[in-house]
Amino acid sequence: MADDTRNGDSVHKKLKKPKLNFITESEIREEFGHHQQTVARINNGSFGSCPKSVIAAQSDWQLRFLRQPDDFYFNTLRNGILNSRNIIKALVNADDVNEISIVDNATTAAAIVLQQIGRRFADGTYAKNDTVLMLHCAFQAVKKSIQAYVTRAGGSVIEVQLPFPVNSEEEIIAEFKKELVRGKASGKRIRLAIIDHITSMPCVVIPVRELVTICREEGVDQVFVDAAHAIGSVKVDVKEIGADFYVSNLHKWLFCPPSVAFLYCRKTTSNSLPNDIHHPVVSHEYGNGLPVESSWIGTRDYSSQLVVPTVMEFINRFEGGIEGIMTKNHEEVIKMGKMLAESWRTILGSPEEMCAGMVMVGLPSKLCIFSEEDASRLRSHLREKYEVEVPIHYQMMKDGELSGPMDKDGFITAYARISHQVYNTLDDYLKFRDAVNQLVEEKIGKMQLLAD
């Protein structure tokens, strides 16, 4: 494909330098004043958060389109998206802006990658015995995409069962190697490995660079890193990671409004981009390269893709910029996790170094969480009665039997995934702590009444 300036050829822009007058606590409160103030919002990992200044910029972009749509389409939209792509390129250390496309979310990126794999099974490029490997805790939408595009076209799936709670990266690496070897021993070619950078539930930072290296050594054709939670939460260096495809949402930890993500597609050894990667929504830009295809999928609101420069201005108001925010969020979530675990006399689900801005905290066994339904009911109860928003993970029994870590009353069967973002305060976590302690006391009281 010939160079297309809409893809970003020969266009380069520099990031603005951070300001010296850093944001104050009162200014942070003002930026997130639209949050429901009575709610302890310790679930940034699900939907992210967008500051007021970025919402204002988004509204401005929307109005610019509505005032004169034709001029906006022909003279503003693509340059604006290209500017955002250049910023992302610098953030993730990509070689070329052509390697960066902006899409709606990680689910869209998974569809893009898995449609390519599905087509190769359908046209006979891949044998029916070939397979896709993924982690058992992969995001449900990714699993459904495999079902929709790969298994129905004749491909098979290998799931790597990861331990949880986890004690070290070596445990994950060992399980991954074991499943890779098992898959190859059955005569299958592993055509794609899907690796999470940070798993969602339970949340654990995966040694992604090491797993990608193992895939290369074992002859896996392509590697797709689903890093929905990564950018703004951990360092992202796509060249260092070495995957063929890497996606991360910008609306989770990078303060963009929903929904927007970037998809990195690594250039091949011939220094060209894959020519069979396409956006699942086909427009008149089909065949002009994924960045251009993604920049126009019909009339819609593109404002979330255009506010990236404003987002960086917001981030650079913090001391240390994005690195400073990531460090602070990690330190604070670990501190809050330890405080909760100490109060409940439970544990954290992984070592500190395997956490980013989220951590799993064991819940007291007295809560009697014995199913996904129990976990869902607890989450709803915390929201409705205590105004605490936090995801609850049920840790399934192994071979039908309770096992694993215990507190003084029994096995720990449930974990809360707490997040920390710049708007969170100590009171958010104390509110959660006290709610759980009250629920435990109520459980004990009911048990005593029954005994009497």
Side-chain angles (χ1 to χ4, degrees), residues 183-408:
K184 290 174 66 178
S186 62
K188 298 177 181 179
R189 284 285 302 275
I190 300 176
R191 297 299 188 174
L192 178 71
I194 304 173
I195 303 170
D196 297 75
H197 196 157
I198 304 173
T199 55
S200 178
M201 285 287 270
C203 66
V204 177
V205 177
I206 301 296
V208 63
R209 184 179 59 177
E210 290 81 356
L211 298 190
V212 172
T213 299
I214 292 167
C215 288
R216 301 302 183 202
E217 292 170 350
E218 294 294 334
V220 175
D221 283 13
Q222 295 185 104
V223 181
F224 170 40
V225 174
D226 179 0
H229 291 276
I231 192 167
S233 180
V234 292
K235 175 189 173 185
V236 176
D237 186 324
V238 292
K239 286 193 288 189
E240 185 178 274
I241 292 166
D244 300 282
F245 308 103
Y246 187 102
V247 62
S248 192
N249 290 320
L250 305 179
H251 57 263
K252 284 188 181 286
W253 292 95
L254 204 72
F255 302 106
C256 284
S259 61
V260 58
F262 79 89
L263 174 60
Y264 163 82
C265 301
R266 188 178 69 159
K267 284 188 173 182
T268 64
T269 52
S270 60
N271 205 35
S272 62
L273 294 169
N275 59 13
D276 60 347
I277 290 288
H278 298 285
H279 197 283
V281 178
V282 176
S283 76
H284 58 267
E285 297 289 5
Y286 180 83
N288 290 326
L290 183 63
V292 171
E293 289 183 12
S294 301
S295 70
W296 183 258
I297 54 172
T299 302
R300 50 159 292 173
D301 183 2
Y302 292 90
S303 59
S304 60
Q305 302 184 16
L306 296 165
V307 297
V308 175
T310 305
V311 168
M312 295 311 300
E313 290 175 5
F314 172 76
I315 286 171
N316 287 331
R317 291 167 66 189
F318 289 80
E319 186 173 3
I322 190 62
E323 291 81 7
I325 292 172
M326 292 191 300
T327 299
K328 178 72 177 298
N329 283 337
H330 171 74
E331 291 173 350
E332 289 298 318
V333 83
I334 294 299
K335 186 191 301 182
M336 295 301 99
K338 287 181 175 179
M339 179 271 291
L340 294 173
E342 182 178 347
S343 175
W344 302 332
R345 298 181 182 179
T346 60
I347 62 168
L348 301 185
S350 63
E352 295 179 25
E353 62 271 18
M354 298 181 74
C355 302
M358 304 184 292
V359 65
M360 304 298 292
V361 186
L363 290 168
S365 61
K366 282 288 187 183
L367 292 177
C368 301
I369 306 299
F370 297 124
S371 67
E372 295 283 0
E373 291 74 21
D374 288 345
S376 180
R377 280 193 291 269
L378 175 60
R379 180 177 183 177
S380 296
H381 188 64
L382 287 166
R383 178 189 306 120
E384 293 161 7
K385 182 174 180 179
Y386 296 98
E387 293 191 299
V388 173
E389 192 59 66
V390 63
I392 307 297
H393 168 70
Y394 166 62
Q395 183 58 28
M396 294 177 63
M397 296 181 290
K398 190 173 183 179
D399 300 324
E401 296 182 1
L402 288 172
S403 62
M406 300 178 66
D407 61 16
K408 64 182 179 64

Side-chain angles (χ1 to χ4, degrees), residues 76-195:
T76 303
L77 177 61
R78 287 184 176 84
N79 285 335
I81 292 176
L82 177 57
N83 190 20
S84 294
R85 287 170 52 217
N86 270 295
I87 291 172
I88 297 164
K89 167 189 170 290
L91 279 175
V92 303
N93 194 31
D95 276 329
D96 193 323
V97 72
N98 286 335
E99 296 175 308
I100 303 294
S101 299
I102 298 182
V103 296
D104 282 346
N105 46 45
T107 302
T108 302
I112 290 170
V113 174
L114 289 166
Q115 277 188 352
Q116 176 218 43
I117 301 298
R119 284 192 293 268
R120 292 180 181 181
F121 275 107
D123 66 16
T125 302
Y126 294 161
K128 297 295 182 182
N129 198 39
D130 293 342
T131 191
V132 169
L133 180 142
M134 67 176 177
L135 309 184
H136 85 280
C137 50
F139 195 59
Q140 196 62 31
V142 174
K143 291 186 174 184
K144 291 293 184 181
S145 293
I146 291 173
Q147 179 183 332
Y149 302 125
V150 177
T151 55
R152 68 184 297 181
S156 62
V157 180
I158 296 172
E159 290 195 14
V160 180
Q161 298 292 322
L162 296 185
F164 186 82
V166 62
N167 297 307
S168 69
E169 292 183 346
E170 286 70 29
E171 289 182 352
I172 292 174
I173 292 169
E175 288 298 318
F176 192 82
K177 280 183 175 179
K178 184 173 75 175
E179 290 303 321
L180 263 181
V181 171
R182 186 175 69 86
K184 290 174 66 178
S186 62
K188 298 177 181 179
R189 284 285 302 275
I190 300 176
R191 297 299 188 174
L192 178 71
I194 304 173
I195 303 170

Side-chain angles (χ1 to χ4, degrees), residues 23-33 314 317-318 422-424:
I23 193 168
T24 65
E25 284 297 321
S26 62
E27 288 172 332
I28 292 173
R29 301 277 80 79
E30 183 181 355
E31 284 282 6
F32 295 96
F314 172 76
R317 291 167 66 189
F318 289 80
V422 296
Y423 55 81
N424 284 120

